[in-house]
Each structure stands twice: as C-alpha cells, then as structure tokens.
C-alpha cells in the first residue's frame, strides 16, 4: 500500500475508534508485568539461548499471546510491551524508531499486534505501550530514511551542545532538552510539524490499537509543556521515565504526565535490600514522597527493569529479593515486575539484563513465580484495602512494617543468615482480640492482638504479609 494512503487510512480508522482505556485512578489497582517483546517468547519456541543479545532474538506478538496463561498465572492484570514501530537496524528494544507509521516486522504484523491486544482484553489484561517522542534511531545526520521526520529542520541544531552534540551534563537542563542522548538525533518539539505529528500519532495509536496506557521514554529530555499536550492527546494513563534520584526533580514531572517511574524509591530499595543499608531510608524516602508528589498511587514502583543491572546480579540472597518484591507489590503505587524476575534472572548491565525467557520453558514452579502469584492473588482479594494510603507502622535499621488498609506487611533486610528476629507492634489498625494470619502460611502462622499489641517473628530473612481472619 502507498505510504501516504496507509497513513491516511490509519488516521481515519483511529478517528472513528473509541478507546476502552481506563482512567489513571483505575490503573492504580493494576499490577504490571514488563516484558521486552523480542525477549519474551518466540512464535515457536526452542530452549536455546540467544546468540547475540545486542540484536534481535526472535520474540513476537504471537509469542506473547501464546503465553498469556503464564503471565496471568502470576496474577498480573496488565503488561507493558516494547515500542512497536519500525526501528533502524539493530533496534530490537524498540527505542530506535525509523518509521512511526509501520509496525516492526520482527515482532509481527499489524494484525498480530491487534490480535494480541484483543486476547489480552478478553482476559481482563490491560496493555501499556512504550513510546518514544524524544529521538529517532542512530542515523547520524542523514535523516532521509526517517519517516516522517526526514529533514534536519525537525531536529535540534546542537548550537548549545558540547562536542558531538551529545549530552554530557545531566544537571544542565537546557542541554538535556536540546542535545543528543547517546548520540541519538534529538527531535525539536518546538517545530510545529514535529509537535503536531507526534501528538496526532499517539492519539491515533491508542485509539486504533486500543492501548490502555503508555509508558513514555526519556521524559526530561523534552520540555514539559509538550508532555502535557502529549498526555492529553493520548487519552490514556501515562507513566514517564525520569531516570534520576533527585526527589524534587522527579516529582516536578508529575502533572505534565499522570505519573512517573519511582526511581528515587528504586535507588532506596536497592540500597536497603541490595546493600543491606538501614531500612530507615524507606521511611525517609516515603516521607519525602508524601510531601512532594501530588498522587503517590499513580507512580510506577519497581526493583528491576531493562536499564538496570538485575538485583540478583549484585545481591544473590533470594530472601532479600523477596522482601524487595513484597515491598513493590504491596506499597502505595502501581507495581511493575520485570520479566524474568520470577525465574531468578541475574543478568548484568544492558544487554545482559535482557535475557530470553523461553530458555526457562516458562516454568511456573519456581519459588519466585509462586511468591509473586501468592501476593498478586492476595491483592486481587483486597481491592478496597489497596485504595488506602501506605501507613508506616515500624521502622529501624533491619525491620520495616507498613499497612495498606488492614493488610500488614513486615519486611527485613537481615538476609537468609539472620536467624530469627522479632518486633512488638503497638501502632496498628486492629481491634483488641483480632487474629491476623500470614498469607504464605494462613493456617500455621496467626497472631492475636492482646493488650493492644502483637509480636511479629521473621525467620531467616523472610517477609510476611498479615491479614485479619474473617
């Protein structure tokens, strides 16, 4: 089909489509499984590893659709997939866009994508699309193959940038907005064609494909006024990537977009559980969250993703990992679990943290798969409690506890060699005589509120989640 006709048809179909996307607040009850489309499942899987993690490994939309049972078995009701548009050579991850009007043929066809989304929706699984509006693929200064931004007038001219036009100071915000990230050509959203095209594109994408939400790449690299318009045009919940640990800076982007990835808490959790630093850091970070963010419930909480060395690469103690995962799944915010977590993947930096999942034969019996499934099943039964704010109940160097409604979460960073540790809890939401039981051992581990308090025992670095008996 002629490219102009194809774009026109795409636009006209999108205009008459009605998105089924839920509101940002409705996203607050979802649990997201992040996957890289190229690494999750091939259409026909083998058990062989990928020979080159820096290139395409063969994952497809059909592969994702074929393994929705695996995702749903863990209790996830949303997935975050890679950017879907055609990329420049080697762009298996999706972030090197070349033609925003065509689907990446390595992942499958337009129909394959539509069928995958339909299959998800039939199961009650929402689909979040990863999108890029800051840059295009690595073509240096020859834009002739980039559709539709095929001229240098659509890019920042680098007059304010250092040598090679590449960002070298991420505290220099004009440089961050106008220069190239890792040498990738930087789109000029002040150019009216660029601005209107990107906004029309995201509106059409969400309407035509019925995406339920979007994750926005590299948010600080574009002026915030653009993101307000882009988020509105998308018409769905948007969570933005602000890869920074500065709380005030990160919080400033909530408003221009609905929510942001919770990077400051990510760094805190890695320190607390990965390096076994004081758990009082969680208290400090969360108190700052309460002061600085307009809506903590719309932030994306995580302990691993495709840009970070996997937790288990730096800390091999599985109990510490379970504690971190329990925090992610139960804390205020939208939990995001990176594919492979459930299999204990321990890859180092990119691309080694982007392992193919099919080598595991989609094993559903691993301890982490079962651990995640247990917590997600519990979450599904306490939806009212999860509308409540996170309230800290105890904090010291090696123990942290909080509640969401009547759910009581007890964590430690002592690790599997810790032995037994205990804390007596006097600040809690329960009436005298209430019996609360551990969701992992509901018939064996129950405690009763007596004299206004109860004592929690954690053995060998375990985490516990308690809930009152009916």
């Amino acid at each position: 089909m002629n490219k102009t006709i194809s774009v026109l048809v795409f636009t006209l179909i999108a205009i008459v489509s009605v998105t089924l996307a839920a509101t940002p607040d409705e996203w607050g009850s979802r649990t997201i499984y992040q996957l890289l489309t190229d690494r999750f499942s091939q259409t026909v899987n083998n058990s062989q590893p990928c020979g080159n993690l820096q290139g395409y490994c063969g994952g497809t939309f059909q592969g994702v659709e074929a393994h929705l049972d695996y995702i749903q078995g863990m209790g996830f009701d949303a997935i975050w997939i890679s950017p879907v548009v055609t990329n420049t050579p080697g762009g298996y991850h999706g972030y090197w866009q070349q033609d925003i009007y065509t689907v990446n043929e390595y992942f499958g066809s337009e129909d394959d994508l539509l069928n995958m989304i339909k299959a998800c929706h039939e199961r009650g699984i929402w689909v979040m699309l990863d999108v890029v509006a800051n840059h295009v693929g690595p073509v240096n200064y020859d834009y002739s193959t980039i559709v539709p931004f095929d001229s240098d007038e659509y890019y920042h001219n680098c007059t304010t940038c250092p040598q090679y036009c590449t960002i070298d100071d991420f505290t220099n915000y004009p440089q961050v907005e106008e220069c190239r990230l890792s040498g990738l050509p930087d789109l000029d959203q002040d150019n009216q064609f660029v601005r209107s095209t990107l906004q029309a594109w995201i509106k059409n994408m969400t309407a035509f494909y019925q995406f339920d939400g979007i994750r926005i790449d590299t948010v600080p690299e574009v002026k915030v006024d653009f993101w307000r318009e882009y988020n509105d045009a998308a018409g769905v919940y948007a969570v933005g990537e602000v890869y920074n640990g500065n709380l005030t800076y990160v919080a400033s982007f909530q408003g221009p977009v609905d929510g942001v990835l919770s990077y400051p808490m990510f760094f805190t959790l890695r320190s607390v559980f990965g390096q076994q630093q004081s758990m009082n850091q969680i208290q400090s970070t969360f108190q700052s969250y309460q002061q600085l963010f307009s809506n903590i419930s719309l932030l994306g909480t995580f302990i691993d993703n495709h840009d970070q060395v996997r937790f288990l690469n730096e800390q091999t103690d599985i109990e510490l990992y379970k504690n971190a995962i329990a925090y992610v799944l139960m804390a205020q915010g939208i939990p995001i679990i990176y594919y492979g977590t459930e299999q204990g993947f321990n890859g180092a930096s990119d691309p080694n943290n982007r392992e193919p999942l099919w080598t595991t034969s989609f094993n559903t019996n691993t301890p982490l798969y079962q651990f995640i499934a247990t917590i997600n099943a519990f979450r599904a039964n306490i939806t009212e409690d999860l509308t409540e704010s996170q309230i800290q109940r105890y904090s010291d160097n090696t123990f942290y506890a909080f509640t969401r409604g009547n759910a009581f979460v007890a964590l430690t960073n002592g690790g599997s060699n810790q032995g037994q540790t205990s804390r007596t809890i006097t600040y809690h939401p329960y009436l005298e005589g209430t019996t609360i039981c551990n969701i992992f051992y509901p018939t064996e581990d129950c405690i009763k509120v007596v004299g206004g308090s109860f004592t929690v025992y954690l053995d060998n670095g375990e985490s516990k989640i308690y809930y009152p008996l009916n």
Side-chain angles (χ1 to χ4, degrees):
M1 182 183 290
N2 176 276
K3 180 63 67 64
T4 302
I5 296 175
S6 177
V7 172
L8 179 60
V9 170
F10 172 78
T11 303
L12 289 174
I13 292 174
I15 288 172
V16 300
S17 297
V18 179
T19 182
L20 301 177
T23 66
D25 286 340
E26 288 172 322
W27 266 93
S29 65
R30 294 276 151 165
T31 310
I32 301 171
Y33 184 77
Q34 181 200 353
L35 61 89
L36 297 189
T37 306
D38 183 62
R39 303 297 159 88
F40 179 73
S41 174
Q42 299 166 319
T43 300
V44 178
N45 284 302
N46 58 56
S47 60
Q48 298 302 310
C50 180
N52 177 19
L53 290 178
Q54 293 182 321
Y56 285 95
C57 291
T60 65
F61 300 132
Q62 288 187 23
V64 174
E65 181 180 348
H67 289 90
L68 292 178
D69 281 345
Y70 174 86
I71 295 171
Q72 202 163 32
M74 280 180 283
F76 290 104
D77 49 18
I79 60 172
W80 154 11
I81 65 172
S82 306
V84 299
V85 302
T86 298
N87 270 227
T88 57
Y92 70 90
H93 39 65
Y95 299 110
W96 291 353
Q97 56 191 355
Q98 180 178 32
D99 182 349
I100 66 173
Y101 296 124
T102 57
V103 171
N104 189 331
E105 62 182 13
Y106 286 91
F107 299 163
S109 67
E110 179 182 286
D111 284 342
D112 292 337
L113 177 56
L114 286 166
N115 289 336
M116 184 204 76
I117 295 169
K118 180 182 178 183
C120 286
H121 286 165
E122 288 174 347
R123 293 168 173 259
I125 297 173
W126 292 353
V127 183
M128 174 177 283
L129 173 66
D130 205 333
V131 295
V132 182
N134 173 64
H135 58 264
V136 300
V139 293
N140 202 6
Y141 293 92
D142 179 6
Y143 309 118
S144 59
T145 61
I146 303 298
V147 179
F149 309 118
D150 57 358
S151 171
D152 59 5
E153 66 183 292
Y154 303 134
Y155 300 86
H156 285 118
N157 59 23
C158 300
T159 56
T160 62
C161 299
Q163 190 176 17
Y164 306 119
C165 195
T166 297
I167 302 168
D168 65 3
D169 180 5
F170 283 89
T171 65
N172 182 332
Y173 301 133
Q175 185 187 119
V176 168
E177 291 175 352
E178 297 182 10
C179 306
R180 294 183 170 200
L181 177 67
S182 302
L184 299 172
D186 198 75
L187 289 165
D188 181 5
Q189 290 77 17
D190 287 334
N191 178 287
Q192 190 53 47
F193 175 77
V194 173
R195 193 181 197 90
S196 61
T197 298
L198 289 172
Q199 290 171 4
W201 176 82
I202 192 59
K203 180 178 181 179
N204 294 339
M205 286 293 289
T206 55
F208 178 67
Y209 288 104
Q210 300 292 296
F211 286 110
D212 304 281
I214 59 173
R215 178 267 188 186
I216 305 175
D217 191 56
T218 54
V219 166
E221 281 76 10
V222 179
K223 295 177 181 178
V224 294
D225 61 331
F226 172 79
W227 292 128
R228 289 189 179 93
E229 297 172 8
Y230 190 85
N231 198 161
D232 288 345
V236 299
Y237 167 72
V239 60
E241 178 203 29
V242 185
Y243 186 1
N244 198 296
N246 184 308
L247 270 157
T248 302
Y249 179 68
V250 175
S252 70
F253 290 93
Q254 186 175 37
V257 292
D258 297 318
V260 294
L261 295 176
S262 194
Y263 261 104
M265 185 59 79
F266 161 80
F267 290 120
T268 294
L269 296 178
R270 282 292 182 100
S271 295
V272 166
F273 296 110
Q275 301 175 27
Q276 295 177 279
Q277 297 178 10
S278 174
M279 297 191 78
N280 285 324
Q281 291 183 49
I282 298 177
Q283 171 182 268
S284 176
T285 299
F286 191 73
Q287 286 175 346
S288 295
Y289 268 48
Q290 292 174 310
Q291 296 167 3
L292 295 170
F293 285 102
S294 59
N295 191 340
I296 298 172
S297 296
L298 298 184
L299 307 181
T301 312
F302 64 100
I303 190 62
D304 275 306
N305 69 23
H306 60 296
D307 290 324
Q308 305 299 323
V309 171
R310 287 191 184 261
F311 181 98
L312 290 177
N313 184 267
E314 298 180 327
Q315 172 56 259
T316 60
D317 192 319
I318 199 73
E319 292 302 327
L320 288 168
Y321 199 25
K322 285 183 176 180
N323 275 268
I325 293 168
Y327 182 90
V328 168
L329 290 174
M330 290 302 300
Q332 190 173 353
I334 302 174
I336 303 171
I337 298 295
Y338 185 43
Y339 87 100
T341 295
E342 70 280 5
Q343 299 294 339
F345 280 5
N346 62 357
S349 58
D350 168 16
N352 296 304
N353 57 354
R354 303 174 178 184
E355 310 95 314
L357 188 67
W358 53 81
T359 59
T360 70
S361 300
F362 301 92
N363 185 0
T364 61
N365 295 316
T366 67
L368 287 170
Y369 186 102
Q370 295 298 321
F371 182 78
I372 292 168
T374 299
I375 299 178
N376 276 339
F378 173 65
R379 280 178 55 91
N381 288 323
I382 60 161
T383 54
E384 288 300 316
D385 296 273
L386 294 177
T387 65
E388 300 292 328
S389 297
Q390 177 176 333
I391 299 176
Q392 179 179 298
R393 300 298 179 175
Y394 198 104
S395 180
D396 63 26
N397 286 333
T398 59
F399 185 94
Y400 187 83
F402 65 93
T403 55
R404 300 287 304 283
N406 281 314
F408 181 92
V409 182
L411 308 172
T412 181
N413 66 349
S416 57
N417 295 321
Q418 182 183 45
Q420 186 178 84
T421 188
S422 65
R423 299 293 189 278
T424 297
I425 309 299
T426 58
Y427 177 49
H428 57 78
Y430 309 122
L431 297 175
E432 181 74 9
T434 299
T435 297
I436 57 175
C437 295
N438 177 10
I439 68 167
F440 300 107
Y441 302 99
T443 62
E444 303 170 20
D445 183 7
C446 296
I447 49 183
K448 190 173 184 178
V449 178
V450 177
S453 68
F454 59 91
T455 300
V456 175
Y457 295 89
L458 300 180
D459 294 334
N460 304 315
E462 67 182 329
S463 56
K464 292 184 177 182
I465 301 172
Y466 284 97
Y467 197 76
L469 286 175
N470 292 333

